[in-house]
Amino acid sequence: MTKRLLTAALLLTVSVIPAFAAKTSLVVGMPIEPPGLDPTIAAPVAIREVTWVNLYEGLVRIDRAGKVQPLLAKSWEVSPDGLTYTFRLQEGVKFHDGSAFDSADVKFAFDRARDPKSTNAQKQIFAPITSIETPDPTTVVIKLKETSGNFLYYLGWGDAVIVAPETAANNAANPVGTGPFKFKSWTRGDRVELVRNPDYWQKDKIKLDSVTFRFISDAQAQVAALKAGDVDAFPNLGAPELFAEFQKDARFKAVAGNTEGEVVAGMNNAKKPFDDVRVRRALMHAVDRKALVEGAYSGFGQPIGSFFSPNHPAFVDMTSVIPYDPEKAKALLKEAGYDNGLSITIKSPQMAYASRSAELLSAMLSEVGVDLKIIPTEFPAKWIEEVFKAKDYDMTIVAHAEPLDIDIFARDNYYFNYKNDTFKTLVADAAKTTDEKARYAKYAEAQKILAADVPALFLFQLPKLGVWNAKVKGLWENSPIPSNDVTEVSWSE
């Protein structure tokens, strides 16, 4: 071959080398593995963090700003009396098994969720429903027995996603939804793998071909996995003391955002000594919330004095109602008959924020004569069985991650065993109130009742310490709803 021909051949070879293509796979780290993959039958947040809008979709969705947006329902109308909701559905939508989505699936999903035998964790969403009509395949008419000021918002939760009658029974292990990603595999104790849904009704919006959720509980291992590139993102890093290190590293984007998770030390209000409000107030007076936030989360997180997210416009700061005052705590304990001390236990889930907070609580309570013994408790399985279901505990500590969930203190048979008829009526009235200003006023009154009655020790709002590869775009910086939404994620070139 002549020199001229060799040069031409080399130029031709160079000309056909493809341009660099951005990555189309993503590995997301999570501290907790979900017990199943059906958010409509179980409470753990980890289920929603894998599945919500990635695998399953609802009539509406909550966007990254916390606003309601259309999804499987392209539009809706509400009757003047607020009792009838008419939804117009998207057309051409298919479930992952190829079956068509229509109004019958919506009726099935909601009837299943509101069935008396349902284990849906948020059955109050569906409680106002009296009937669901399907006049044609693309129309759903839902009639309510009473107005619900948050009905549309609730329909955006993971508990209200649409599932099909043909596959619902097996969704916990083999999920089938209408979302942009399909289930590929689940290696227990390690990872869940999803792949792009080629038949997705909005497929042009999705940039990733595969998503893997890896489960890494140890905080130091989370950091090591990020630095090694074994995971591309950890939306909720469990090592707040190392967060500043990532903020200085140009390879990563580190964002301190907000969640809806109120960290509380729940008390079993039906057991002595917690059935005495003086004891509950004494324990709250013994807690230095600012010091606890500093020690448990390196200063990230906002102290709270009641059970309401600071991100919500109806939030009222209640930390001054029962402030840190060890002497007042001692006086209240003496008044309640515990001047010689008190011994109690706390079941602490084996999560970094919970373990650290429990240790700090133990130290603070010891200053007022209370011996708090920590019992490490595996989460979610053991905690769900012993605390949430059996109510076999004195105290516990956990972040309640669902938005606008102040009503859990009004629920019958909830694990706090708290009963206050005035509070229950107020929260029920708030839920029915469609006027926003009036509804927010009722929520403010409800916050005041909890702050004074202290059915749990109100500690701090859990922050969202997100760390991911600097080339990853589209992850949520805040969590207005528990989710690892990857539907808008892409890699920069």
Side-chain angles (χ1 to χ4, degrees):
M1 183 179 290
T2 65
K3 183 176 182 181
R4 178 177 294 177
L5 288 174
L6 180 60
T7 301
L10 289 171
L11 287 172
L12 180 61
T13 301
V14 171
S15 68
V16 297
I17 294 175
F20 172 78
K23 285 181 65 175
T24 57
S25 64
L26 184 73
V27 181
V28 179
M30 290 174 51
I32 299 172
E33 180 176 16
L37 296 173
D38 184 352
T40 69
I41 64 170
V45 167
I47 302 174
R48 291 142 185 80
E49 290 179 329
V50 171
T51 65
W52 183 78
V53 301
N54 298 325
L55 281 166
Y56 302 106
E57 297 176 308
L59 291 181
V60 298
R61 62 162 294 158
I62 309 301
D63 67 15
R64 65 180 67 219
K67 304 297 183 182
V68 175
Q69 301 293 346
L71 197 54
L72 292 177
K74 59 185 177 183
S75 65
W76 54 85
E77 300 167 0
V78 184
S79 62
D81 62 5
L83 295 177
T84 302
Y85 287 71
T86 302
F87 295 91
R88 311 295 178 185
L89 306 183
Q90 304 284 358
E91 298 180 43
V93 178
K94 294 181 179 180
F95 285 95
H96 298 152
D97 63 354
S99 60
F101 157 79
D102 62 23
S103 58
D105 297 303
V106 177
K107 178 173 171 55
F108 165 78
F110 289 177
D111 281 346
R112 173 175 174 260
R114 66 195 188 102
D115 187 277
K117 297 179 181 178
S118 166
T119 57
N120 190 292
Q122 305 294 341
K123 293 181 75 171
Q124 81 282 355
I125 293 174
F126 312 97
I129 297 175
T130 58
S131 68
I132 302 172
E133 301 170 3
T134 55
D136 61 61
T138 60
T139 305
V140 177
V141 180
I142 299 178
K143 295 186 177 180
L144 310 183
K145 62 184 178 183
E146 58 192 17
T147 54
S148 175
N150 298 309
F151 187 62
L152 277 175
Y153 178 73
Y154 287 151
L155 293 184
W157 289 16
D159 311 83
V161 296
I162 306 304
V163 296
E166 298 85 356
T167 53
N170 298 318
N171 276 347
N174 187 26
V176 175
T178 60
F181 297 97
K182 300 172 64 174
F183 175 71
K184 178 183 178 183
S185 65
W186 184 359
T187 304
R188 302 274 178 166
D190 182 29
R191 67 187 64 199
V192 167
E193 295 179 281
L194 312 181
V195 294
R196 184 187 181 104
N197 175 13
D199 298 319
Y200 183 53
W201 60 282
Q202 297 185 102
K203 59 185 176 183
D204 292 341
K205 293 185 177 183
I206 307 304
K207 306 302 181 186
L208 297 175
D209 289 329
S210 65
V211 182
T212 299
F213 292 93
R214 286 196 56 197
F215 311 118
I216 306 172
S217 59
D218 181 77
Q220 297 301 318
Q222 295 171 15
V223 171
L226 279 165
K227 290 184 175 180
D230 295 333
V231 299
D232 302 312
F234 230 103
N236 292 284
L237 187 71
E241 70 278 5
L242 298 176
F243 184 72
E245 181 181 327
F246 283 106
Q247 289 179 307
K248 299 173 184 176
D249 191 330
R251 296 174 299 166
F252 299 97
K253 183 172 183 179
V255 180
N258 302 316
T259 76
E260 295 298 304
E262 297 93 351
V263 179
V264 303
M267 293 176 279
N268 193 338
N269 286 247
K271 290 180 65 175
K272 290 186 177 300
F274 309 106
D275 58 346
D276 189 330
V277 70
R278 294 171 297 182
V279 172
R280 302 198 301 269
R281 288 172 178 166
L283 299 182
M284 192 72 264
H285 275 303
V287 178
D288 184 340
R289 293 183 181 93
K290 290 183 178 179
L292 188 141
V293 170
E294 188 63 42
Y297 239 87
S298 299
F300 296 103
Q302 180 176 339
I304 56 173
S306 188
F307 195 81
F308 213 80
S309 169
N311 307 317
H312 195 283
F315 170 77
V316 181
D317 185 358
M318 296 287 175
T319 52
S320 63
V321 175
I322 303 184
Y324 176 55
D325 187 342
E327 295 306 313
K328 180 67 172 177
K330 293 176 184 177
L332 282 170
L333 287 171
K334 183 177 181 179
E335 183 182 324
Y338 297 100
D339 48 322
N340 292 323
L342 177 63
S343 294
I344 51 180
T345 62
I346 184 167
K347 289 190 173 180
S348 173
Q350 291 174 305
M351 296 179 285
Y353 77 86
S355 299
R356 294 171 182 175
S357 296
E359 291 169 1
L360 290 162
L361 285 175
S362 180
M364 291 176 183
L365 295 184
S366 70
E367 296 296 317
V368 299
V370 176
D371 176 28
L372 181 66
K373 179 184 177 182
I374 300 171
I375 303 175
T377 306
E378 187 269 329
F379 188 92
K382 192 172 183 181
W383 187 89
I384 291 288
E385 287 301 319
E386 294 184 359
V387 177
F388 193 76
K389 292 182 178 180
K391 305 175 189 63
D392 179 20
Y393 77 104
D394 289 345
M395 292 182 67
T396 189
I397 184 166
V398 74
H400 284 267
E402 298 288 358
L404 200 58
D405 55 354
I406 191 172
D407 71 295
I408 64 175
F409 287 93
R411 295 182 194 175
D412 295 329
N413 206 35
Y414 204 70
Y415 80 93
F416 298 121
N417 279 325
Y418 174 64
K419 300 185 187 305
N420 184 313
D421 290 339
T422 301
F423 174 81
K424 187 174 184 178
T425 300
L426 185 60
V427 169
D429 287 345
K432 299 174 190 176
T433 303
T434 55
D435 179 80
E436 187 176 85
K437 185 176 180 180
R439 184 167 71 252
Y440 288 178
K442 292 179 188 295
Y443 282 139
E445 286 301 313
Q447 292 172 66
K448 291 179 183 178
I449 291 174
L450 292 185
D453 224 12
V454 208
L457 303 185
F458 304 113
L459 304 176
F460 64 98
Q461 198 73 14
L462 191 69
K464 178 180 172 69
L465 302 185
V467 178
W468 50 85
N469 187 300
K471 293 184 178 181
V472 173
K473 310 298 180 184
L475 285 169
W476 287 16
E477 296 186 359
N478 300 302
S479 288
I481 191 169
S483 169
N484 287 319
D485 179 356
V486 295
T487 61
E488 298 178 344
V489 173
S490 64
W491 288 83
S492 61
E493 298 183 5

